[in-house]
Amino acid sequence: MTSDKAAQAFLNDAAIVLEEARASLSARHHHRVVRKAQESAELAVEAVFRFAGLEHPKSHILGRHVRKHLGKLHIFEAQAIETMANYSDSSSLDREPAFYGTYEGTPASEIFDEEDAREALRKAEWIVDTARKVVRFEP
């Protein structure tokens, strides 16, 4: 397993987007926190794939790829793989409504509240912190 600049760049971007999510929380833009948290989590997972020498999936829903591919590498404990997969999938399910609102016309800004935003941020922070344990991080 080798570290490469692409993995570091993905993780650096994940950290930057995570800061944007925190700023959105301070501004009470809860739907933007959810969007940015999902983006940050996805970038961090993709960084781990790149670090492991695997092409990252071209999908926003990464849980099954995490279980199938990263689980085989034993770079994380089984519980961490399961948590990463679950957090990744749950955040990806909120991605579309956080961007576009509902099909019925409810805007994204009315769908998510502070509790939703804090939960999305917590999950993204966990994924980024977990990814940092294996990807050499040089901001």
Side-chain angles (χ1 to χ4, degrees):
M1 188 178 339
T2 60
S3 177
D4 64 81
K5 289 183 181 183
Q8 291 176 8
F10 273 72
L11 194 52
N12 189 40
D13 284 348
I16 291 167
V17 174
L18 194 57
E19 284 305 314
E20 294 170 355
R22 290 182 183 120
S24 291
L25 182 62
S26 294
R28 301 186 51 79
H29 299 152
H30 301 128
H31 67 295
R32 294 192 56 79
V33 175
V34 172
R35 288 167 49 175
K36 292 295 183 178
Q38 186 280 329
E39 181 182 356
S40 177
E42 185 176 324
L43 285 165
V45 171
E46 290 170 351
V48 175
F49 271 87
R50 294 308 281 278
F51 183 76
L54 302 170
E55 184 63 29
H56 63 84
K58 306 299 189 256
S59 172
H60 299 295
I61 304 171
L62 300 174
R64 67 185 163 97
H65 301 289
V66 167
R67 287 180 188 96
K68 181 177 180 179
H69 301 291
L70 297 182
K72 290 179 185 177
L73 298 178
H74 306 290
I75 55 177
F76 299 111
E77 292 182 12
Q79 183 57 49
I81 288 290
E82 194 58 30
T83 300
M84 184 179 286
N86 288 336
Y87 284 2
S88 177
D89 282 353
S90 68
S91 69
S92 66
L93 294 174
D94 287 336
R95 183 180 192 279
E96 189 174 314
F99 267 98
Y100 307 113
T102 67
Y103 292 113
E104 295 81 23
T106 304
S109 60
E110 294 179 16
I111 297 172
F112 299 97
D113 61 17
E114 184 175 352
E115 184 179 337
D116 298 323
R118 288 189 182 281
E119 181 69 8
L121 191 57
R122 183 186 67 77
K123 290 176 179 180
E125 288 170 338
W126 185 91
I127 290 175
V128 171
D129 289 344
T130 300
R132 283 183 174 146
K133 292 175 183 173
V134 296
V135 177
R136 289 170 188 70
F137 185 69
E138 299 172 14

